[in-house]
Amino acid sequence: MAQVVREVIGLGLLLGVGALPVAAQSMALPAADPVGISRSGAQVAYGFSLEAAATNPALLASVKEKWGIYLSAGLEMSSTQQTMESTQQSLFSFDRNRTIGAFGLAARLTPTMTLGLKLDEPYLRHGSLLDDAPSRYLGDGIDLLARRMEAQAAWALNPNVSVGFGIGAARLSYASTSVMRFNVPNDPTLPASAANAVNGLVEQRVGQSADKVVPSYSLGLRWAFNPRWTMGFTYQSALKADLDLKAGFRDANLGLFANDGLSTAPIGVDTRAATLLAASQPVATGASTLELPSQATIGVRHRNMSFMTWEADLRWTSANLRVPSFAAVQTPSGMVSAPGELPHGKSHLALNASTELELGKFWTLRAGFSLDQRSVDVSYTEPLLGGAPTAAFSIGAGYKIWGGEWNLGYQYRQSQDQDTHRLTGDWSASGFQATPVNRVRMEGMGHLLALGYRMSF
């Protein structure tokens, strides 16, 4: 029976691999601790690992020691690049770095019941575009973070099967910016009309932000067929919040222009533009829902030698990815809105794999890789959410000392290059007009690095 189950699971994983692109930056982090990072997140069946219990709460029942704790800190770095085909000029994003942290705790109460606590960061996306980026009118900055804490419990139904769950909360933080242009009439305190003609434009960055705490839960299963083969399954809930967004102008104005949107602004526009902006009010309008998708993962772990273990996971991510609309601005001449919105997500698969080598009593070496399918439809390609197919490769090491283990993990992520005609446009006194003849190539890459310490007793 166990042999049949292994063959069925193996076939499922192969089919999943076949559905993935050959060449593959993702919003979902593989983990926030060094062990999970070095495994590229492939650890839902990895028993005897406290860090893996952050992914699958059922694994708490397999932790050998009565008490265990780990703490880690690290850095996430990511950037995007846009290259205009007509000029071959490349523009890189900035605001590239974020700190990350993770915490885990396990306590065995009885031979069959173990409690735990975890703190992690399942989703992270950030970046700001340069003032002259071709896609700035369709959004030029994003800062999204989900920081989650769950209390966990696991029960060993028998020596080979355990189940677990986690329940807690996640703090969602979201901010976005876009660049807009406003018509400047001769009397900026009154609506534009035939008697109050528009005589120039002002370009201004507008942003909005909010935080909210929402419920979170996770479910897990671990089934050890025998001492060498183990299967794991876990489900992590979606995170959804209706945000109370606060909007405002960001920085000074970015430029003054004539009515055609290209020529030098007439004399006196600077003073009238300042008066217009002072009389205008940024507002958060439209959709205010932030939703981060649920995930379900199945994995198989095999200890094929006494010092070597490998695992392969297949992860499904739902299509429930939504972010709020951009802020608008109420001017004396009426409401001005951003000409676009960030896209919704699409369901997709990912393949994660890892291997771990135990070298003597002190050293452990780890490596992993992952391939993610596209998470945003190709027809809505843009740089802030990304969503292109992504490949990631990771390495790490652990060293036992001082009664515990220091761990270091690193991952490099690279998204597939994308060409699009939907990012550029001109904004004149008559409004925004897309220029689909211009092709832009987008590229993305990122790094994850974390250092942590685990102690068991």
Side-chain angles (χ1 to χ4, degrees), residues 40 57 119 130 154 183 217 222 261 310 330 454:
S40 285
L119 173 67
L130 297 176
N183 292 347
Y217 70 89
R222 175 181 180 264
W310 64 267
Q330 181 68 53
R454 180 181 68 239

Side-chain angles (χ1 to χ4, degrees), residues 247-266:
F249 291 128
R250 302 290 190 262
D251 310 319
N253 75 72
L254 303 178
L256 303 169
F257 304 89
N259 286 1
D260 61 5
L262 300 172
S263 305
T264 301

